[in-house]
Amino acid sequence: MLTGLFVSLGVWQLQRLGEKEALVAAVETRLTESPIAFPPAAQWPGLVPEALDYRNTELTGTFDNARTVLIFTNLPESRGQYGRAGYWVMAPLETGEGGIVWINRGFVPEHLAPAWADGGLAPEGEVRIEGVIRKPERANAFTPGPDYAARREWVRDPERLSDVAGIEGVPVAPITIDLPAGAPGELPQG
């Protein structure tokens, strides 16, 4: 009986390895492709986030800085100057057609988070964004609920982010966009 269990576990591990290798190959390919224009809000209900994950994209809009949401994270092995406990700065970008796309502007260390909590250090006016599309992160049974008063969250899920920010009655893209890294030491750190 144990032999059958170990064989099935071995087969499962080989299948997972194959899936992981396919994902790595797809990510490497997608990240080297030219940016695609971000789809208009009318197409968002039919988007398949997994099909767009790790695609480069570009779009134009205006940040709603007052509705910035911070997502707690930990960067134990950061690729930039800052790491450890901190937050992803998630800002809603209003497109010209009235939809919202959540933009991950990057990481800020925990001790500097208050300056970014209300989007006070975000760009004003219309901006052109180039970044990487990411599928939503899903909460599980162990994910804490959001802190509405402080606009703090635990996962990059556009629906949950919109709920925390109080965004209602407008289309929200079913994906997020990660901005690339800026100059060394620049915050937020992409």
Side-chain angles (χ1 to χ4, degrees):
M1 183 162 147
L2 286 177
T3 303
L5 176 65
F6 292 138
V7 168
S8 64
L9 283 174
V11 169
W12 174 77
Q13 286 182 333
L14 288 173
Q15 288 172 339
R16 294 284 298 153
L17 176 62
E19 291 170 4
K20 182 178 179 180
E21 288 173 344
L23 176 61
V24 169
V27 168
E28 288 175 352
T29 299
R30 290 177 180 177
L31 287 176
T32 59
E33 294 174 344
S34 297
I36 60 170
F38 197 77
Q43 294 177 8
W44 294 352
L47 289 182
V48 178
E50 291 77 12
L52 294 172
D53 203 22
Y54 292 102
R55 291 291 312 264
N56 291 308
T57 191
E58 54 190 16
L59 72 152
T60 304
T62 305
F63 283 112
D64 183 352
N65 298 323
R67 295 183 189 229
T68 297
V69 176
L70 299 178
I71 298 178
F72 183 78
T73 192
N74 185 27
L75 299 179
E77 296 179 24
S78 68
R79 293 187 179 158
Q81 177 177 351
Y82 300 100
R84 305 270 184 240
Y87 296 91
W88 296 121
V89 177
M90 299 296 295
L93 184 78
E94 297 177 9
T95 66
E97 58 210 21
I100 297 290
V101 180
W102 282 95
I103 308 297
N104 179 0
R105 298 192 54 229
F107 175 84
V108 294
E110 191 169 27
H111 70 283
L112 297 176
W116 297 88
D118 291 322
L121 301 173
E124 301 269 337
E126 189 171 86
V127 294
R128 184 174 167 277
I129 299 291
E130 283 192 32
V132 177
I133 296 174
R134 294 304 320 274
K135 68 182 180 182
E137 295 175 348
R138 298 294 178 206
N140 61 37
F142 300 105
T143 306
D147 179 346
Y148 289 93
R151 280 200 322 276
R152 304 261 167 94
E153 185 43 294
W154 298 90
V155 292
R156 294 185 294 177
D157 180 330
E159 290 179 25
R160 284 179 58 132
L161 291 168
S162 296
D163 183 47
V164 171
I167 295 172
E168 298 175 346
V170 296
V172 175
I175 53 81
T176 61
I177 296 176
D178 287 354
L179 293 185
E186 181 178 272
L187 289 173
Q189 175 178 285

